[in-house]
Amino acid sequence: LVDSNGVTKASWEGNDFGGHRFTDLEPSAVYTATAVAVNSVGTSDPLSCTFKTLPPDVPPSADASVKGVYDSTTTTLTLYYDESDHAGEGVVYAVTETTAEWISTADKNPTTKVVFDRSMKYFHPTSLKNWFNSFSSLTAIEGLAYLDTSLVSDMSGVFAYCSALKTIDVSRFNTANVMNMEKTFYNVGCTELDLSSFDTSKVTKMGSMFGYSSALTTVYVSELFTTAGVTSYSKMFTGAK
């Protein structure tokens, strides 16, 4: 790995190319990575790629707020936690720790993509109730790992009726404080869900959690997924495979 000044920052040798990680790289810097394959026949031509690292990670100021910006041209809803009012970028919705303005005011059907800006990792909501409920045209969610769910107690309906959504990466979700998971994945388009990181020790409501997700065939869980405290789980899998 070589920086823009020709200085070698890292090198490696062996078969573990796919799993190699570069660390301690400068922010907003350009690097070129080059690889060659060597065997008994000889050495291949080098294969190179150039990339730029992300800028420094700066926490939002006290003047920052969370908002969702809907761009009707790209049918994308992007969530930011910053100081900008995002005027002229589309329809702007306010977001608080307990709710999002688009839940009650927006026409969700045209939205095909949701993007979480990396600034969202500094936001700590306490409820995700119905955040993406009835986003029936939604096909992709990017940057979901930037959503901090560690304080969330209500996750009911968050992905309900996302019938066009074929994959949801919730592997980074911290559900240790969630108490309500009713209709969390109701009528989603996924064939499988990996909930192996889900800690449901505080959950009391799981009614219709996977209801009418007719494409769903597999749900992966771990020993953290318990129903010991659940008092309501009516129709949990009704209509699902």
Side-chain angles (χ1 to χ4, degrees):
L1 181 69
V2 179
D3 67 15
S4 57
N5 296 315
V7 178
T8 299
K9 304 293 290 187
S11 61
W12 72 98
E13 188 175 322
N15 297 321
D16 192 26
F17 174 71
H20 192 83
R21 295 173 61 91
F22 301 116
T23 59
D24 300 323
L25 302 183
E26 295 294 325
S28 302
V30 176
Y31 293 93
T32 300
T34 303
V36 295
V38 180
N39 59 19
S40 59
V41 177
T43 303
S44 71
D45 292 332
L47 178 65
S48 299
C49 68
T50 300
F51 62 91
K52 186 176 182 179
T53 54
L54 293 171
D57 199 4
V58 180
S61 72
D63 296 324
S65 63
V66 180
K67 67 281 293 182
V69 182
Y70 177 70
D71 183 340
S72 60
T73 303
T74 62
T75 60
T76 298
L77 176 70
T78 304
L79 281 76
Y80 302 94
Y81 186 15
D82 59 15
E83 296 79 14
S84 172
D85 60 8
H86 295 275
E89 297 179 24
V91 181
V92 179
Y93 299 101
V95 181
T96 68
E97 285 81 1
T98 58
T99 191
E101 188 179 13
W102 67 75
I103 294 174
S104 58
T105 62
D107 178 8
K108 296 95 171 177
N109 290 333
T111 305
T112 59
K113 182 190 289 188
V114 170
V115 177
F116 286 84
D117 182 76
R118 70 180 183 135
S119 59
M120 285 296 292
K121 69 181 182 178
Y122 293 102
F123 179 55
H124 311 293
T126 57
S127 174
L128 299 180
K129 181 178 180 178
N130 292 329
W131 261 35
F132 305 118
N133 191 324
S134 299
F135 278 52
S136 57
S137 298
L138 184 64
T139 59
I141 302 178
E142 296 181 2
L144 196 55
Y146 293 130
L147 177 61
D148 181 0
T149 61
S150 60
L151 300 181
V152 172
S153 61
D154 191 345
M155 205 173 279
S156 60
V158 59
F159 300 113
Y161 299 100
C162 290
S163 53
L165 192 59
K166 305 303 181 186
T167 60
I168 308 173
D169 182 4
V170 291
S171 60
R172 300 286 186 89
F173 271 27
N174 179 342
T175 62
N177 286 306
V178 177
M179 293 183 286
N180 190 345
M181 286 191 176
E182 290 181 323
K183 290 190 173 182
T184 301
F185 301 105
Y186 188 89
N187 194 18
V188 297
C190 305
T191 57
E192 64 178 41
L193 289 168
D194 184 356
L195 309 185
S196 55
S197 66
F198 273 38
D199 177 352
T200 61
S201 57
K202 292 186 179 179
V203 178
T204 60
K205 297 180 180 180
M206 286 187 177
S208 299
M209 184 174 178
F210 306 102
Y212 293 96
S213 295
S214 57
L216 187 63
T217 60
T218 307
V219 178
Y220 297 97
V221 298
S222 70
E223 68 279 358
L224 295 174
F225 195 100
T226 175
T227 58
V230 177
T231 57
S232 172
Y233 46 82
S234 175
K235 300 180 180 179
M236 188 172 175
F237 291 98
T238 297
K241 288 186 176 181

